[in-house]
Amino acid sequence: MSPSRPQAHPAPADSAASEFLPFALPDLGEEEAAAVLECLRSGWITTGAVSRRFEQEFADFLGGGVTAVAVNSATAGLHLALEALGIGPGDEVIVPTMTFTATAEVVRYLGADPVLVDVDDATLCIDAEAIAAAITPRTRAIVPVHYAGLACDMNAILALARRHGLRVVEDAAHAFPTLYRGRAVGTLDSDATVFSFYANKTITTGEGGMVVCRDPELLRRVRVMRLHGISEDAFDRYTSRRPAWFYQVVAPGYKYNLTDIAAAIGCQQLRKIGAFLARRQLLAARYAEGLAGLPLRLPPDAGAGGQHAWHLYPVRLTAAAPLERDRLIELLAERGVGTSVHYIPLHRQPYWRERYDLRAESFPRAEAAYRSLLTLPLYTRMRDADQARVIATLRELLC
Ligand SMILES: *Cc1c(COP(=O)(O)O)cnc(C)c1O
């Protein structure tokens, strides 16, 4: 049994064999509950001192001289970062097809066009050669997604961007904490990096996100647009020596600020990230061992100097498997094992397919992966017995 398993609901002795195992669960404890109560009792519940502290602690954790700006989702953060870079109508932004729709939808918010490209067969991260082939005179930016928590080939992507004068905003929703060649994702040489604290991510605030970057101009624009285009935020308004009622609207901004209630949860989650990562690494290693020999293609580990965040554990059925992916998901569910699929590629979604007249043949690697792909349960509260049951069930169904 994992020591982090909460004891609030004593389970029957055979629970590990009978419970439905979800594919993800947040790991929140008494520390988060106490921090939320403290925030509620303080009388300040929206963006304020606790959000500031969360931003500072998050930036300090990453290192590399970055600054962090808290937002109410990664979707909001991606939108703000691209807006601050001046992306607008007529521009093209290259994104992988193997991602969540948020990565591409923010490009449409700005009236620009996402250009979907294929992924690398081994990592399912955006493929640098596919990016190069998709660049046109309208291309302005690239949004790589660190799929499952493994960093993209950032050296190749950043070199391409430099050569063609393109901006790079990393979608790091899966990538906390991920290392690329010894450096933390968030501190690489892109224009901005955006993290997610959605309920199933490696740390959560319920809903939340963080924009991380070094460029002071970009940071200023993100901060202004995060809160209605007001030149100073509410926190400053209430603490500065200017009259409290005075503010100036300099743009039609958004309502993307993070509450102190959420940030209070975030500060506590951040303290646990070392233990969370260790547990995820252990579970990933045990899957690699326990699933060896089955007709499954397991996710690659990070190479030298790398660190996989293990947000997801996606596997692919090989041609030798005795059944198809959809049937396997059904049989696993019948046996109490929850799974998911990351992702139905965007080129298969009606909006994207029809808007841009996309064809499956243009994305052969994402297509092949999609047909055989499923995500196994992986979360810190998963007990050793839970994982043993997932492995035993897969051995039963696939042998
Ligand atoms: C979760 C996720 C997002 C969106 O994050 P939110 O915080 O829910 O807005 C964006 N991109 C990817 C790849 C994600 O997995």
Side-chain angles (χ1 to χ4, degrees), residues 14 148 160 308 335:
D14 69 341
L160 257 180
H308 199 311
R335 287 159 178 73

Side-chain angles (χ1 to χ4, degrees), residues 159-195:
L160 257 180
R162 267 192 297 272
R163 197 170 326 131
H164 294 271
L166 307 177
R167 305 298 208 145
V168 177
V169 175
E170 296 167 68
D171 179 339
H174 300 183
F176 186 70
T178 293
L179 297 183
Y180 175 74
R181 300 192 183 217
R183 290 165 74 191
V185 163
T187 69
L188 308 180
D189 301 322
S190 61
D191 292 279
T193 305
V194 182
F195 295 90

Side-chain angles (χ1 to χ4, degrees), residues 73-75 78 99-100 102-103 145 171 173-174 196 198 201 207-208 343:
S73 71
T75 307
L78 290 165
T99 187
F100 185 56
T103 316
V145 176
D171 179 339
H174 300 183
S196 173
Y198 180 66
K201 301 290 165 44
E207 301 281 358
Y343 290 92

Side-chain angles (χ1 to χ4, degrees), residues 33-65:
V36 166
L37 267 182
E38 190 186 331
C39 177
L40 299 184
R41 288 177 175 140
S42 77
W44 192 284
I45 54 175
T46 186
T47 310
V50 186
S51 299
R52 284 278 172 96
R53 175 150 53 88
F54 184 36
E55 292 175 338
Q56 191 58 55
E57 290 177 2
F58 195 84
D60 289 347
F61 180 88
L62 291 176

Side-chain angles (χ1 to χ4, degrees), residues 16-220:
S18 58
E19 277 168 27
F20 187 86
L21 280 178
F23 93 90
L25 262 188
D27 193 338
L28 300 161
E30 290 308 315
E31 299 81 6
E32 285 81 358
V36 166
L37 267 182
E38 190 186 331
C39 177
L40 299 184
R41 288 177 175 140
S42 77
W44 192 284
I45 54 175
T46 186
T47 310
V50 186
S51 299
R52 284 278 172 96
R53 175 150 53 88
F54 184 36
E55 292 175 338
Q56 191 58 55
E57 290 177 2
F58 195 84
D60 289 347
F61 180 88
L62 291 176
V66 296
T67 298
V69 180
V71 288
N72 60 12
S73 71
T75 307
L78 290 165
H79 183 194
L80 289 173
L82 292 173
E83 195 277 342
L85 289 170
I87 304 299
D91 294 338
E92 290 177 350
V93 176
I94 296 176
V95 307
T97 188
M98 195 58 103
T99 187
F100 185 56
T101 193
T103 316
E105 81 192 24
V106 295
V107 177
R108 294 294 303 132
Y109 292 179
L110 295 163
D113 296 306
V115 174
L116 303 184
V117 301
D118 208 354
V119 290
D120 176 75
D121 179 60
T123 63
L124 303 186
C125 283
I126 194 165
D127 180 65
E129 280 173 29
I131 296 173
I135 293 172
T136 75
R138 289 173 56 202
T139 308
R140 293 283 314 282
I142 307 166
V143 184
V145 176
H146 304 300
Y147 177 84
L150 181 68
C152 298
D153 184 359
M154 289 306 294
N155 280 355
I157 293 167
L158 291 166
L160 257 180
R162 267 192 297 272
R163 197 170 326 131
H164 294 271
L166 307 177
R167 305 298 208 145
V168 177
V169 175
E170 296 167 68
D171 179 339
H174 300 183
F176 186 70
T178 293
L179 297 183
Y180 175 74
R181 300 192 183 217
R183 290 165 74 191
V185 163
T187 69
L188 308 180
D189 301 322
S190 61
D191 292 279
T193 305
V194 182
F195 295 90
S196 173
F197 310 130
Y198 180 66
N200 73 347
K201 301 290 165 44
T202 52
I203 66 170
T204 184
T205 60
E207 301 281 358
M210 199 70 87
V211 180
V212 171
C213 100
R214 290 194 190 89
D215 177 350
E217 284 302 306
L218 209 66
L219 285 162
R220 181 152 36 154

